[in-house]
Amino acid sequence: MKKKSLIIILCLVFCGIIAGCGKSTADEPSEKIEEEESEEKDKEVKKKEKKKKEKKEKAEKKEEFDTEAAEASLKEMSDSLTGFLWASMMKENDYDVSETKEVMIPFTDEEKIRAAVFASDEDYEIDSTFVLGMGGFSEDKTAETGPDGDGFHGISVSKKDVEQNCLDLFGTEASWDYLPVGPMCDLFDAVSYEKGDDVYALIVDREIETETDIENHECTFVEEDGKYIGRVNMFWGYWGELDQNPGYSNYVAEYTLEPDENSKYGMVIKEICITAVESDEDPGDAEIQDGFGTFDEPFYGVWVGASKEKQESVDLVDDLNAKGLDAYCIYTPEWENLNSDSYWCVTVGKSATKESAQELIADVESAGYKGAYVKYTGLRLSHRIYYYQYVAGDAKITPSKVTLDVDTEEMSGTGYDEGPMTLIVDSDTVFDAACDMQAFPGYKKGDSPLEWFNSADPQDTVGVFEVSIEGNHVERFYGSYWWD
């Protein structure tokens, strides 16, 4: 009996051990899974808390965004790019400022390195004249710059500045391989040169007076759809307009930017779109001033004298100015109410009202000039100049356009005589009805000026030509003359 009981007890103990071991083995994975799930939940909670914190910090940062500082940085960026933008806009429409309505500049590697060069300080390690081409350049201090020369003046810039400008303006390293070895714009460009095994950069220009200017004005800065949009009001065109009305804007440059904490500006440029705009501010509303192509508004003049010889009237202007009177020489055919024959008249002052002009007569008579009277000019009908073509074959003639790099003389005696200009003759250019066509050798009845240039002997295009212009476009030919 005792033996049997002992066996039963041992069996029960053995079974209990086996059963216990089985339960422990089965429960261990389940507990591990529950522990892992708990850790995942903790991680997810922490991740959500982190995102929430980052979102809050971003919102706080946005609230603290300093718009005024951003606009100041944008102005600094755009000012550093004025040379690059000027060259880009001049190139866009073959240097015709009157035709450019929009210029889009997506910053490729080539555009970035060129822009960075323009934005760099000159170091003058090289300051010389070069003969440049797409195959490279060679120094030639005797080369002639300007519209008739084949040379460019070049000044080297700091390589360190170029590389830093690329980072600050575009957030990328300078790609020197993309800097052209020859100029892409005939007037002003950035090109590369080699020194030892390294590549450097020059700013080159033709030293041509284009009568144009570019200037940045007001800046605005906003965030739109996660991007920074900067807008800069700017003037680009003939500098006489800007002289006449400082601060006048006729374009807006829209910068697409992205934040970049590594840039000194706090942002980098992705693209720029420059668009012509209609402004409520008319430059003609400014006080009338003299200058190359600037005094288009009608006025009341105190007329002192007139002559068929321009120099006689210019001398009279000098005499009046020497006596403290503000005098101007006016070419009468340009004005609606003045003599249509070729006279050079002299006026003291250009007054907005008849009454203000009348007040000047006493000063004129006190200076010894009797018989002065007030007359209204009416609208300015045209802006006439002489242009001088000295060498046969200098004109660039194609079936669709003639490009003239010429000296010019204001008909109105403003003092800007024989300034260089690039003039364009195209299918819109006409001969005036009163033009003496016998002075245009080779002319065939019905020819337009463009057709005459294409058929004439090159020698026949040399001489002095009286034309009217709009910007740098030749509107009308009035005569062809030879030198006295």
Side-chain angles (χ1 to χ4, degrees):
M1 183 70 180
K2 289 183 180 179
K3 185 176 181 181
K4 187 177 180 180
S5 298
L6 180 60
I7 291 171
I8 292 170
I9 291 169
L10 289 172
C11 287
L12 290 173
V13 170
F14 181 72
C15 289
I17 290 171
I18 293 174
C21 289
K23 183 176 185 295
S24 174
T25 303
D27 288 347
E28 190 176 85
S30 177
E31 291 175 359
K32 187 174 183 181
I33 290 169
E34 289 177 1
E35 184 178 339
E36 288 175 352
E37 288 177 348
S38 177
E39 288 177 357
E40 285 297 321
K41 287 180 181 178
D42 288 343
K43 287 180 180 178
E44 190 66 30
V45 169
K46 288 179 181 178
K47 190 175 180 180
K48 288 181 178 179
E49 288 177 350
K50 184 179 179 182
K51 283 185 176 180
K52 188 176 180 181
K53 184 180 178 182
E54 288 176 350
K55 189 175 180 180
K56 183 180 178 182
E57 289 175 349
K58 188 175 181 180
E60 290 174 350
K61 186 176 180 181
K62 188 174 181 179
E63 289 175 2
E64 296 171 359
F65 183 76
D66 191 338
T67 302
E68 187 175 337
E71 289 175 353
S73 292
L74 176 61
K75 179 66 162 57
E76 188 178 347
M77 292 174 91
S78 55
D79 282 346
S80 73
L81 290 172
T82 51
F84 170 76
L85 295 178
W86 180 85
S88 298
M89 294 178 77
M90 291 295 283
K91 180 186 173 187
E92 177 71 14
N93 274 310
D94 201 17
Y95 318 136
D96 186 351
V97 298
S98 65
E99 293 298 320
T100 301
K101 303 303 179 187
E102 182 177 276
V103 178
M104 175 65 76
I105 306 176
F107 280 97
T108 61
D109 287 334
E110 181 180 89
E111 297 298 318
K112 287 176 184 177
I113 187 71
R114 291 176 65 235
V117 171
F118 280 112
S120 299
D121 291 332
E122 298 161 345
D123 63 17
Y124 292 97
E125 286 187 12
I126 294 179
D127 183 4
S128 188
T129 303
F130 301 89
V131 176
L132 292 165
M134 293 311 293
F137 69 92
S138 59
E139 185 174 4
D140 183 355
K141 294 185 178 181
T142 66
E144 293 186 7
T145 60
D148 299 321
D150 59 354
F152 283 76
H153 176 242
I155 301 177
S156 58
V157 298
S158 163
K159 184 171 185 178
K160 183 179 179 182
D161 278 359
V162 174
E163 293 175 344
Q164 188 61 51
N165 283 333
C166 263
L167 292 172
D168 287 333
L169 291 168
F170 310 111
T172 58
E173 292 186 357
S175 301
W176 288 95
D177 291 342
Y178 289 94
L179 189 61
V181 297
M184 300 169 64
C185 173
D186 278 346
L187 298 176
F188 192 47
D189 217 329
V191 299
S192 66
Y193 72 96
E194 294 181 1
K195 185 178 179 182
D197 296 328
D198 215 342
V199 178
Y200 294 82
L202 293 171
I203 293 176
V204 296
D205 71 275
R206 256 289 174 64
E207 297 186 339
I208 301 173
E209 177 53 70
T210 65
E211 308 288 346
T212 62
D213 198 2
I214 187 169
E215 184 175 276
N216 293 308
H217 297 144
E218 304 85 2
C219 297
T220 58
F221 196 91
V222 295
E223 286 186 78
E224 294 179 359
D225 300 326
K227 288 185 177 181
Y228 291 158
I229 303 296
R231 295 183 178 90
V232 181
N233 291 334
M234 57 183 284
F235 170 83
W236 176 63
Y238 294 102
W239 52 254
E241 293 179 72
L242 196 59
D243 285 349
Q244 186 178 7
N245 191 16
Y248 169 61
S249 298
N250 55 0
Y251 286 84
V252 61
E254 182 171 287
Y255 288 72
T256 302
L257 307 118
E258 287 185 0
D260 190 322
E261 61 183 14
N262 295 317
S263 166
K264 72 176 183 179
Y265 304 110
M267 52 194 173
V268 293
I269 300 169
K270 293 304 175 182
E271 64 180 32
I272 301 175
C273 181
I274 301 173
T275 309
V277 295
E278 294 294 332
S279 175
D280 293 335
E281 184 179 10
D282 182 356
D285 292 338
E287 181 182 353
I288 299 168
Q289 298 181 24
D290 204 12
F292 195 92
T294 63
F295 53 97
D296 289 337
E297 292 300 302
F299 62 91
Y300 289 88
V302 177
W303 304 97
V304 179
S307 175
K308 278 283 189 178
E309 297 296 327
K310 179 181 177 180
Q311 191 57 50
E312 289 182 9
S313 293
V314 170
D315 291 343
L316 177 56
V317 167
D318 291 340
D319 290 341
L320 289 162
N321 288 337
K323 294 179 180 179
L325 297 172
D326 192 16
Y328 305 93
C329 178
I330 304 298
Y331 187 55
T332 61
E334 293 184 325
W335 297 90
E336 182 182 32
N337 289 345
L338 302 184
N339 200 316
S340 59
D341 289 339
S342 297
Y343 282 91
W344 281 268
C345 286
V346 176
T347 177
V348 171
K350 296 176 186 175
S351 301
T353 66
K354 185 175 182 179
E355 291 73 21
S356 58
Q358 290 282 4
E359 293 174 1
L360 295 174
I361 289 183
D363 292 335
V364 173
E365 291 181 343
S366 296
Y369 301 93
K370 305 298 182 182
Y373 62 96
V374 173
K375 186 173 182 178
Y376 184 59
T377 62
L379 297 175
R380 190 176 189 185
L381 303 175
S382 62
H383 172 199
R384 295 203 202 183
I385 64 170
Y386 287 133
Y387 79 73
Y388 294 79
Q389 186 75 57
Y390 298 111
V391 180
D394 271 0
K396 301 178 182 68
I397 302 172
T398 70
S400 61
K401 182 174 68 173
V402 177
T403 304
L404 304 165
D405 292 317
V406 290
D407 284 340
T408 63
E409 178 183 346
E410 280 283 280
M411 301 297 288
S412 54
T414 63
Y416 291 93
D417 288 353
E418 302 209 32
M421 287 188 71
T422 298
L423 300 176
I424 302 297
V425 174
D426 59 21
S427 59
D428 292 327
T429 307
V430 299
F431 288 113
D432 188 73
C435 190
D436 180 5
M437 301 316 303
Q438 292 183 355
F440 292 81
Y443 169 81
K444 295 185 290 292
K445 187 176 181 179
D447 276 355
S448 68
L450 179 61
E451 291 168 331
W452 174 72
F453 270 101
N454 274 275
S455 62
D457 186 288
Q459 186 60 42
D460 294 335
T461 66
V462 174
V464 183
F465 295 85
E466 182 180 349
V467 298
S468 62
I469 61 173
E470 179 74 28
N472 72 335
H473 179 260
V474 178
E475 301 285 294
R476 189 175 294 267
F477 277 80
Y478 294 90
S480 173
Y481 319 107
W482 200 249
W483 288 273
D484 292 334

